[in-house]
Amino acid sequence: MELTVQKREILGKQLKGLRKQGFIPAEFYGREAENLHLSVLVKEFNKIFKEAGESAIIKLNVDGKKINALIHDVQKNSLTGAVSHIDFYGIKMDEKIRVNIPLLFGGESPAVKEGGVLIKAIHELEIEALPADLPHHIEVDLGKLAVIGDSILVKDLNFSKGVKILINMETVIATVVEPKVEEEVVAAVSVEDVKVETEEKKEAREKEKEAA
């Protein structure tokens, strides 16, 4: 995947005008690489980002020079959700890197069909691999959750060769619990809140008596 970007000299408050013209300001940095101020067309970036995400290698075309990079960070406008800034990270194809890979949950859990409640504990995994070995996502088959109480652990997932997982392999990714477990948790919190509130009121009444 190739993304054409332009070097920019516009900085600071002038970036607002750049965005109005349909461009997104960006920065490029990396080990042993020159940091660059860049801009990229909104439409072009959104198209690439939808396909690549933050784990696929893209080639930045900067004035005809092509640089291997990852989309390292994407900032969005809190009101509109539009991308407002991008960080690109330059990589070397022969050096391993660490990135967070999103988990893609698929399939239907028989335990959930029977009334269980699905809990997704984590949504991404940190891995280490050569750039060419980076997966776009890691699939999680919820169909393996057959009965209430079943869990899917990190060690149950399928990883491509050359990928090192940087998290405990016994970590729970997803599990199915009984509905009453959630109710008990909510009830326990409510009772504790009432207890605290009662104790606070009691303390306040005692202070009022002392003051009187």
Side-chain angles (χ1 to χ4, degrees):
M1 289 174 282
E2 184 174 313
L3 179 64
T4 299
V5 297
Q6 298 82 35
K7 291 183 180 180
R8 65 177 167 86
E9 296 182 359
I10 297 175
L11 302 170
K13 294 181 179 180
Q14 294 180 320
L15 292 178
K16 186 176 182 180
L18 184 70
R19 294 187 179 98
K20 286 184 177 180
Q21 295 175 33
F23 288 89
I24 306 171
E27 299 290 336
F28 169 85
Y29 61 95
R31 289 179 55 192
E32 302 176 8
E34 177 188 3
N35 289 1
L36 300 172
H37 301 303
L38 305 171
S39 64
V40 57
L41 281 169
V42 173
K43 291 182 179 180
E44 294 297 322
F45 176 75
N46 288 341
K47 179 181 178 181
I48 289 290
F49 187 54
K50 184 178 181 181
E51 184 177 351
E54 296 183 11
S55 60
I57 304 166
I58 62 173
K59 287 187 179 295
L60 295 181
N61 188 333
V62 187
D63 296 335
K65 181 181 178 180
K66 298 179 182 180
I67 307 171
N68 291 319
L70 289 174
I71 301 170
H72 182 66
D73 185 48
V74 174
Q75 297 177 22
K76 295 184 178 182
N77 184 296
S78 58
L79 297 178
T80 65
V83 176
S84 59
H85 188 87
I86 312 158
D87 282 344
F88 295 107
Y89 183 74
I91 59 173
K92 292 185 176 181
M93 298 303 290
D94 59 349
E95 288 186 0
K96 292 184 178 181
I97 57 175
R98 294 185 176 188
V99 295
N100 289 324
I101 303 296
L103 298 177
L104 180 63
F105 294 89
E108 292 185 275
S109 166
V112 172
K113 289 183 178 181
E114 293 299 320
V117 177
L118 175 65
I119 296 178
K120 298 175 182 177
I122 56 178
H123 293 268
E124 61 181 17
L125 291 179
E126 184 181 14
I127 71 166
E128 181 180 79
L130 289 171
D133 294 331
L134 293 177
H136 188 229
H137 61 261
I138 298 173
E139 295 185 359
V140 181
D141 182 10
L142 297 177
K144 294 180 179 179
L145 299 172
V147 297
I148 293 175
D150 278 355
S151 297
I152 297 175
L153 310 181
V154 173
K155 67 180 182 181
D156 298 323
L157 303 179
N158 294 319
F159 304 106
S160 57
K161 186 178 180 181
V163 173
K164 180 181 179 181
I165 307 302
L166 302 178
I167 187 175
N168 192 317
M169 298 298 282
E170 298 296 326
T171 301
V172 174
I173 290 176
T175 188
V176 177
V177 300
E178 295 183 7
K180 68 178 183 179
V181 173
E182 278 199 331
E183 294 172 4
E184 288 172 358
V185 172
V186 173
V189 172
S190 300
V191 170
E192 189 64 27
D193 289 342
V194 172
K195 182 181 178 182
V196 171
E197 184 180 0
T198 302
E199 290 177 349
E200 289 178 346
K201 288 183 177 180
K202 181 180 179 181
E203 184 179 349
R205 285 197 299 271
E206 290 178 351
K207 288 183 178 179
E208 288 178 0
K209 288 181 181 178
E210 291 177 0

